[in-house]
Amino acid sequence: EVQLVESGGGLVQPGGSLRLSCTASGFFFSDYEMNWVRQAPGKGLEWISYINIISDTIFYADSVKGRFTISRDNAGNSLYLQMNSVKAEDTATYYCARGRVGDGDCADHWGQGTLVTVSP
Amino acid sequence: DIQMTQSPSSLSASVGDTITITCRASQNIIRYLNWYEQKPGKAPKLLIFAASSLQSGVPSRFSGSGSGTEFTLTIRSLQPEDFATYYCHQTYSIPSTFGQGTKLEIK
């Protein structure tokens, strides 16, 4: 069974840093592209970052570019999101999502999410 | 950025009804359009990929159609568990973007 489990969320002050992790199991992690998607409380979904299987192609949404860094450890079946210089508007539930190339490039499996709250 | 506009934003329906949600893209996205269902407090779940392909395990009462800039999600014979929020999502270009969501409520 495909499983994605996020961790690392919590309360952080504006301007602070946080590192989110996503641990994968039930599939060959190194064969799949990965994404981070977030959802502010009561709001819709926002894609924020993508990484390909060998980490040589990475994209970010403008809202996080220059502040967040996506990375992965294929040997450890893990995806990361380093969040620096966080702002109040970064408050959201952060989901990791597995990408499936070719099938509309859909995100076919999602973790349960980890909540990040940015507040003094 | 490609803008995705869903309509309606909310919808009331009864068990057994058939409903259709529309998603319009601000430019041609061919068939790079996926549909997700989200229930409160849960992660999104993939329903339809590449505009019209049903994800494994998703009931056949869900269907998708469209290409280019206009797409639809149809749910036939609504079941109690279908009352949720539905999102369309384009992956034609970066940044990939979601529609604002359609909340389906019980009448």
Side-chain angles (χ1 to χ4, degrees), chain B residues 50-73:
Chain B
S52 61
S53 295
L54 192 67
Q55 171 69 350
S56 175
V58 174
S60 59
R61 62 180 181 273
F62 291 88
S63 64
S65 66
S67 64
T69 61
E70 187 155 335
F71 302 85
T72 60
L73 172 70

Side-chain angles (χ1 to χ4, degrees), chain A residues 8-13 17-18 115-120:
Chain A
L11 178 64
V12 58
Q13 293 189 335
S17 297
L18 207 60
L115 177 62
V116 173
T117 303
V118 182
S119 180

Side-chain angles (χ1 to χ4, degrees), chain A residues 29-30 72-78:
Chain A
F29 180 72
S30 56
R72 64 190 295 163
D73 172 7
N74 286 341
N77 295 326
S78 295

